[in-house]
Amino acid sequence: MALCKNCGQQLPENANACPYCGTFVNGQNAPQAAQPVEQQAPQQNYQQNYQQAPQQGYVPQQGYAQPYVTPDMDVQQSKGIAWLSYMGLLFLIPMFVRRQSDYTRFHVKQGVTLFAVELAYGVTYSILMAIINAIFPGHYTYSYLYYLPSYYVHSSVYNVFSFLLGLGYIFFLVVAIIGIVNAATGKRKELPLIGKIPWLATLLDKTVYKQ
């Protein structure tokens, strides 16, 4: 009775190779196709783990993989355009150009709030000054210049209110400069007083930035 030198199993009579492990009786190596399954397992496991492991610097998303942007990277990429949020209607540029940027969204919300409050203040200013001018009317004064025969002079009360209410525009200018500096230097800070108004930011989240 002959036994296989490799696995120890009994060999059939006149067998040239072991039917269990493929080892030739004369000592030759078994063909590559007859190698044990365990030798192929490490390579298969490596390929499976490689496919399942996420690539560093990327987040899993549907479709093509998008590069993962850290908050610091977002600030560096967006601060060059985020400051436009405080330049009146120019807030529309960062609003749509950097729509996916969380840093830009923050400053756009601040800039839109500033623009809306300043617009409301301007309308209120015009209405109040018209009422004051109606209550305390001015008068026309004759001019010796031939191209300006007469001009309107407001009352003293009108001039006082015009000066006091005009200080509000200086406040808006200072606040806008603060916002521009914050956005251009990578700071995420709310504007004084105006930044605490939440309803416009909420409206933008429900409309423009709705996911």
Side-chain angles (χ1 to χ4, degrees), residues 64-81:
Y64 294 100
Q66 299 293 331
Y68 176 72
V69 179
T70 64
D72 291 338
M73 293 171 58
D74 184 23
V75 172
Q76 294 300 321
Q77 295 174 3
S78 303
K79 66 181 182 179
I81 194 175

mmCIF file of all heavy atoms in Angstrom, residues 64-81:
data_model
loop_
_atom_site.group_PDB
_atom_site.id
_atom_site.type_symbol
_atom_site.label_atom_id
_atom_site.label_comp_id
_atom_site.label_asym_id
_atom_site.label_seq_id
_atom_site.Cartn_x
_atom_site.Cartn_y
_atom_site.Cartn_z
ATOM 1 N N TYR A 64 -19.865 60.257 -8.355
ATOM 2 C CA TYR A 64 -18.427 60.403 -8.258
ATOM 3 C C TYR A 64 -18.030 60.893 -6.877
ATOM 4 O O TYR A 64 -18.711 61.705 -6.274
ATOM 5 C CB TYR A 64 -17.915 61.380 -9.325
ATOM 6 C CG TYR A 64 -18.101 60.875 -10.725
ATOM 7 C CD1 TYR A 64 -19.159 61.323 -11.509
ATOM 8 C CD2 TYR A 64 -17.227 59.943 -11.263
ATOM 9 C CE1 TYR A 64 -19.345 60.862 -12.801
ATOM 10 C CE2 TYR A 64 -17.396 59.477 -12.546
ATOM 11 C CZ TYR A 64 -18.454 59.941 -13.321
ATOM 12 O OH TYR A 64 -18.616 59.481 -14.591
ATOM 13 N N ALA A 65 -16.898 60.432 -6.392
ATOM 14 C CA ALA A 65 -16.397 60.838 -5.093
ATOM 15 C C ALA A 65 -15.971 62.293 -5.133
ATOM 16 O O ALA A 65 -15.296 62.715 -6.052
ATOM 17 C CB ALA A 65 -15.212 59.953 -4.680
ATOM 18 N N GLN A 66 -16.411 63.068 -4.117
ATOM 19 C CA GLN A 66 -16.080 64.475 -4.032
ATOM 20 C C GLN A 66 -15.023 64.667 -2.954
ATOM 21 O O GLN A 66 -15.061 64.020 -1.916
ATOM 22 C CB GLN A 66 -17.334 65.300 -3.692
ATOM 23 C CG GLN A 66 -18.429 65.196 -4.719
ATOM 24 C CD GLN A 66 -18.027 65.829 -6.029
ATOM 25 O OE1 GLN A 66 -17.236 66.758 -6.052
ATOM 26 N NE2 GLN A 66 -18.563 65.321 -7.121
ATOM 27 N N PRO A 67 -14.072 65.576 -3.164
ATOM 28 C CA PRO A 67 -13.033 65.794 -2.163
ATOM 29 C C PRO A 67 -13.610 66.374 -0.889
ATOM 30 O O PRO A 67 -14.483 67.237 -0.924
ATOM 31 C CB PRO A 67 -12.094 66.790 -2.855
ATOM 32 C CG PRO A 67 -12.930 67.445 -3.892
ATOM 33 C CD PRO A 67 -13.907 66.414 -4.341
ATOM 34 N N TYR A 68 -13.146 65.894 0.229
ATOM 35 C CA TYR A 68 -13.599 66.366 1.534
ATOM 36 C C TYR A 68 -12.926 67.693 1.852
ATOM 37 O O TYR A 68 -11.715 67.830 1.762
ATOM 38 C CB TYR A 68 -13.276 65.335 2.611
ATOM 39 C CG TYR A 68 -13.624 65.798 4.001
ATOM 40 C CD1 TYR A 68 -14.947 65.885 4.408
ATOM 41 C CD2 TYR A 68 -12.620 66.175 4.893
ATOM 42 C CE1 TYR A 68 -15.271 66.304 5.676
ATOM 43 C CE2 TYR A 68 -12.930 66.605 6.169
ATOM 44 C CZ TYR A 68 -14.260 66.664 6.559
ATOM 45 O OH TYR A 68 -14.569 67.099 7.810
ATOM 46 N N VAL A 69 -13.725 68.705 2.213
ATOM 47 C CA VAL A 69 -13.220 70.037 2.493
ATOM 48 C C VAL A 69 -13.342 70.289 3.987
ATOM 49 O O VAL A 69 -14.442 70.271 4.538
ATOM 50 C CB VAL A 69 -13.994 71.115 1.714
ATOM 51 C CG1 VAL A 69 -13.464 72.503 2.044
ATOM 52 C CG2 VAL A 69 -13.900 70.844 0.218
ATOM 53 N N THR A 70 -12.239 70.525 4.662
ATOM 54 C CA THR A 70 -12.249 70.834 6.077
ATOM 55 C C THR A 70 -12.694 72.271 6.278
ATOM 56 O O THR A 70 -12.664 73.085 5.352
ATOM 57 C CB THR A 70 -10.854 70.629 6.671
ATOM 58 O OG1 THR A 70 -9.944 71.576 6.063
ATOM 59 C CG2 THR A 70 -10.346 69.221 6.401
ATOM 60 N N PRO A 71 -13.124 72.637 7.508
ATOM 61 C CA PRO A 71 -13.513 74.031 7.758
ATOM 62 C C PRO A 71 -12.413 75.031 7.441
ATOM 63 O O PRO A 71 -12.690 76.107 6.905
ATOM 64 C CB PRO A 71 -13.864 74.022 9.252
ATOM 65 C CG PRO A 71 -14.297 72.617 9.524
ATOM 66 C CD PRO A 71 -13.423 71.761 8.640
ATOM 67 N N ASP A 72 -11.160 74.683 7.745
ATOM 68 C CA ASP A 72 -10.050 75.599 7.439
ATOM 69 C C ASP A 72 -9.881 75.769 5.932
ATOM 70 O O ASP A 72 -9.620 76.882 5.452
ATOM 71 C CB ASP A 72 -8.756 75.078 8.056
ATOM 72 C CG ASP A 72 -8.773 75.171 9.581
ATOM 73 O OD1 ASP A 72 -9.562 75.991 10.109
ATOM 74 O OD2 ASP A 72 -8.016 74.440 10.234
ATOM 75 N N MET A 73 -10.010 74.691 5.191
ATOM 76 C CA MET A 73 -9.918 74.781 3.733
ATOM 77 C C MET A 73 -11.060 75.623 3.176
ATOM 78 O O MET A 73 -10.873 76.399 2.232
ATOM 79 C CB MET A 73 -9.932 73.373 3.124
ATOM 80 C CG MET A 73 -8.710 72.530 3.439
ATOM 81 S SD MET A 73 -8.904 70.802 2.918
ATOM 82 C CE MET A 73 -9.207 71.011 1.171
ATOM 83 N N ASP A 74 -12.254 75.474 3.756
ATOM 84 C CA ASP A 74 -13.412 76.242 3.303
ATOM 85 C C ASP A 74 -13.174 77.738 3.495
ATOM 86 O O ASP A 74 -13.485 78.554 2.622
ATOM 87 C CB ASP A 74 -14.647 75.794 4.081
ATOM 88 C CG ASP A 74 -15.913 76.486 3.597
ATOM 89 O OD1 ASP A 74 -15.936 76.943 2.435
ATOM 90 O OD2 ASP A 74 -16.876 76.558 4.365
ATOM 91 N N VAL A 75 -12.595 78.097 4.630
ATOM 92 C CA VAL A 75 -12.311 79.506 4.905
ATOM 93 C C VAL A 75 -11.302 80.052 3.900
ATOM 94 O O VAL A 75 -11.487 81.138 3.334
ATOM 95 C CB VAL A 75 -11.802 79.693 6.345
ATOM 96 C CG1 VAL A 75 -11.311 81.121 6.562
ATOM 97 C CG2 VAL A 75 -12.899 79.356 7.342
ATOM 98 N N GLN A 76 -10.228 79.307 3.657
ATOM 99 C CA GLN A 76 -9.194 79.770 2.739
ATOM 100 C C GLN A 76 -9.712 79.917 1.310
ATOM 101 O O GLN A 76 -9.313 80.831 0.580
ATOM 102 C CB GLN A 76 -8.010 78.797 2.768
ATOM 103 C CG GLN A 76 -7.273 78.749 4.099
ATOM 104 C CD GLN A 76 -6.693 80.095 4.499
ATOM 105 O OE1 GLN A 76 -6.181 80.842 3.664
ATOM 106 N NE2 GLN A 76 -6.752 80.414 5.782
ATOM 107 N N GLN A 77 -10.608 79.037 0.912
ATOM 108 C CA GLN A 77 -11.131 79.081 -0.451
ATOM 109 C C GLN A 77 -12.240 80.120 -0.631
ATOM 110 O O GLN A 77 -12.504 80.541 -1.761
ATOM 111 C CB GLN A 77 -11.674 77.698 -0.839
ATOM 112 C CG GLN A 77 -10.614 76.612 -0.902
ATOM 113 C CD GLN A 77 -11.212 75.235 -1.133
ATOM 114 O OE1 GLN A 77 -12.420 75.081 -1.305
ATOM 115 N NE2 GLN A 77 -10.380 74.209 -1.120
ATOM 116 N N SER A 78 -12.867 80.547 0.463
ATOM 117 C CA SER A 78 -14.063 81.390 0.344
ATOM 118 C C SER A 78 -13.872 82.825 0.812
ATOM 119 O O SER A 78 -14.670 83.688 0.445
ATOM 120 C CB SER A 78 -15.219 80.762 1.150
ATOM 121 O OG SER A 78 -15.480 79.444 0.725
ATOM 122 N N LYS A 79 -12.852 83.100 1.607
ATOM 123 C CA LYS A 79 -12.740 84.444 2.172
ATOM 124 C C LYS A 79 -12.437 85.501 1.116
ATOM 125 O O LYS A 79 -12.682 86.690 1.348
ATOM 126 C CB LYS A 79 -11.676 84.478 3.269
ATOM 127 C CG LYS A 79 -10.246 84.223 2.791
ATOM 128 C CD LYS A 79 -9.291 84.251 3.963
ATOM 129 C CE LYS A 79 -7.844 84.059 3.525
ATOM 130 N NZ LYS A 79 -6.910 84.102 4.685
ATOM 131 N N GLY A 80 -11.909 85.097 -0.033
ATOM 132 C CA GLY A 80 -11.638 86.049 -1.098
ATOM 133 C C GLY A 80 -12.885 86.573 -1.777
ATOM 134 O O GLY A 80 -12.830 87.587 -2.477
ATOM 135 N N ILE A 81 -14.014 85.918 -1.576
ATOM 136 C CA ILE A 81 -15.267 86.351 -2.203
ATOM 137 C C ILE A 81 -16.360 86.622 -1.168
ATOM 138 O O ILE A 81 -17.320 87.330 -1.447
ATOM 139 C CB ILE A 81 -15.756 85.286 -3.209
ATOM 140 C CG1 ILE A 81 -16.849 85.863 -4.117
ATOM 141 C CG2 ILE A 81 -16.245 84.046 -2.506
ATOM 142 C CD1 ILE A 81 -17.277 84.908 -5.199
#
